[in-house]
Amino acid sequence: MTSDTIAAPKLIGPNEPDPQEKYAPYVRHDSYGIMGRAHLSWTEKVLLGVAMLTLLPLRVAAAMTLVVLCYLTCRICTAFLGPNEHGNYAHLEGWRRKVIMASGRFTGRALLFAFGFYWIDETHRGHHHVPPLNSNHKARSEEERAGVIVSNHVSYTDVLYHMSSSFASFVAKKSVARLPLVGLISKCLGCIYVERESKTPDLIGVSGVVNQRIQEACKNKFSPMVILFPEGTTTNGDFLLPFKTGAFVARAPVHPVIIRYPYRRLSPAWDSISGARHLILLLCQFVNHMEVIWLPVYYPSPQEKDDPKLYAENVRRFMAHEGSLILSDIGLAEKRAYLSACNGDTRTTANNHQKVN
């Protein structure tokens, strides 16, 4: 047993099940352990040391250069223009939009390359298909476009992939808009800004904006699509959590995408390791791998249009079936309890456990 093994059974009660089973979607299985602090062999230490002295500074410099160049492009394209009422530049058209999209897609792919994702294995399973779990779907015309991409969520690099592939708009925290460099880029992406912990009536407005943007993207091919991670948090990549209904309330077709990260030493999944530690270890890995499966556009049946929960669950089961993912019923609350157990925070773990139950 390594020093990285958690003592969660003692923290959450003697009668509780093994946390690595109870919280399986969040458990890491790579060489660096649950918190990225596992005991390493001398060979692994030497490889990590060499990478920190060579790969890490080069990749950080390359990433910073790419972000600055993208920022300058966005600054030029938005010069003398103000954001729309939602605080972004999703309304831009013409040459400005084309230049921003080209720059953003190039930056996303170049950043992935700088992070060690030299090749991305993409599979496209057709544009229109009747899912085997829903035989009532009807074939649709080519003109009817999915306004939203729904994807499983494994790592922060998911964002870079979707940025490079479709330059779709994300739902992001309001604080992202205020970040240096990245803030303007996110506005040009057309990000929809929210406060995750807020319980104010503004959330109704955010839901309405997402719905409106999805409808616009369905009708207008020049309108940016919206990318949503309906699980609401990241997993280790082997599971699929319950879907929130935000992507399905619009009653519009969705385009499901599954992202996988095959690995040998470090898993690119961002589940329990701190952000800074995970990013350093990721940048120190010589090669990272990504596999992406683009499933057929999923058209809702009349019953699914009338019931967003049914629609969300059917899409979730369709993605799990096609991607060989394991369905799990736990969510963000359980993840917080698990992270508290990993960090040895007895009091926080107990409080979270009471809330979950």
Side-chain angles (χ1 to χ4, degrees):
M1 182 176 293
T2 69
S3 59
D4 199 52
T5 303
I6 64 173
K10 296 181 181 179
L11 295 175
I12 61 176
N15 297 323
E16 289 298 317
D18 183 346
Q20 296 204 16
E21 296 180 4
K22 180 176 181 180
Y23 304 115
Y26 311 124
V27 177
R28 301 181 65 82
H29 302 285
D30 63 11
S31 301
Y32 290 88
I34 294 171
M35 301 299 290
R37 300 189 182 98
H39 178 74
L40 302 176
S41 65
W42 277 107
T43 301
E44 193 70 25
K45 289 178 180 179
V46 170
L47 289 174
L48 186 59
V50 171
M52 283 188 172
L53 293 175
T54 56
L55 275 181
L56 182 61
L58 289 174
R59 285 176 168 178
V60 169
M64 288 301 301
T65 301
L66 289 167
V67 172
V68 169
L69 291 175
C70 186
Y71 167 82
L72 292 176
T73 302
C74 291
R75 178 58 67 190
I76 293 171
C77 291
T78 58
F80 310 111
L81 296 176
N84 58 24
E85 66 273 20
H86 304 300
N88 60 52
Y89 291 97
H91 62 292
L92 293 184
E93 298 179 349
W95 69 269
R96 297 175 187 268
R97 183 68 186 169
K98 291 180 180 179
V99 172
I100 287 175
M101 284 191 65
S103 174
R105 295 184 67 173
F106 170 80
T107 300
R109 184 62 188 93
L111 282 171
L112 285 174
F113 188 90
F115 283 13
F117 294 95
Y118 307 124
W119 305 275
I120 298 178
D121 183 9
E122 290 184 306
T123 302
H124 294 262
R125 297 184 180 174
H127 297 291
H128 302 276
H129 179 67
V130 178
L133 301 177
N134 293 274
S135 59
N136 293 328
H137 291 199
K138 298 179 180 179
R140 305 304 175 98
S141 66
E142 288 289 337
E143 287 73 21
E144 190 168 10
R145 175 181 184 239
V148 58
I149 298 170
V150 292
S151 173
N152 65 321
H153 201 9
V154 182
S155 178
Y156 41 81
T157 50
D158 299 348
V159 176
L160 295 179
Y161 171 75
H162 287 294
M163 181 177 173
S164 68
S165 64
S166 58
F167 202 71
S169 301
F170 294 84
V171 176
K173 295 180 180 179
K174 282 187 177 181
S175 58
V176 172
R178 299 188 291 270
L179 292 175
L181 305 179
V182 176
L184 179 61
I185 297 174
S186 72
K187 292 178 181 179
C188 289
L189 271 167
C191 284
I192 303 167
Y193 301 112
V194 302
E195 293 284 2
R196 168 174 275 186
E197 302 299 335
S198 174
K199 300 299 182 182
T200 66
D202 290 339
L203 288 178
I204 299 176
V206 170
S207 177
V209 172
V210 172
N211 198 333
Q212 179 183 354
R213 290 282 299 278
I214 293 174
Q215 295 288 355
E216 288 176 356
C218 286
K219 299 175 183 178
N220 181 6
K221 66 179 181 179
F222 298 106
S223 180
M225 297 179 70
V226 178
I227 169 70
L228 294 175
F229 300 107
E231 293 171 286
T233 190
T234 56
T235 69
N236 58 19
D238 297 326
F239 292 79
L240 207 57
L241 305 180
F243 281 4
K244 300 182 184 301
T245 59
F248 309 96
V249 174
R251 302 157 60 96
V254 300
H255 202 158
V257 177
I258 299 169
I259 298 180
R260 289 199 185 98
Y261 295 93
Y263 65 90
R264 290 185 179 179
R265 296 166 59 241
L266 173 75
S267 168
W270 185 35
D271 30 37
S272 56
I273 299 181
S274 68
R277 178 182 293 271
H278 187 272
L279 180 59
I280 290 173
L281 292 176
L282 185 71
L283 292 177
C284 287
Q285 187 152 258
F286 293 95
V287 180
N288 291 299
H289 301 277
M290 179 186 293
E291 296 177 353
V292 183
I293 302 175
W294 286 82
L295 298 178
V297 174
Y298 190 108
Y299 294 97
S301 66
Q303 294 81 6
E304 290 169 330
K305 288 183 178 181
D306 294 335
D307 188 348
K309 290 184 178 180
L310 174 65
Y311 187 8
E313 181 60 19
N314 285 345
V315 172
R316 175 177 174 247
R317 291 184 176 277
F318 175 53
M319 291 175 65
H321 178 270
E322 293 294 317
S324 299
L325 300 173
I326 304 170
L327 294 174
S328 173
D329 293 330
I330 66 175
L332 183 58
E334 288 85 352
K335 184 175 186 179
R336 288 172 175 164
Y338 174 68
L339 295 182
S340 295
C342 290
N343 288 302
D345 189 343
T346 307
R347 182 178 60 183
T348 303
T349 303
N351 290 338
N352 283 339
H353 184 62
Q354 289 176 0
K355 291 179 181 179
V356 170
N357 292 284

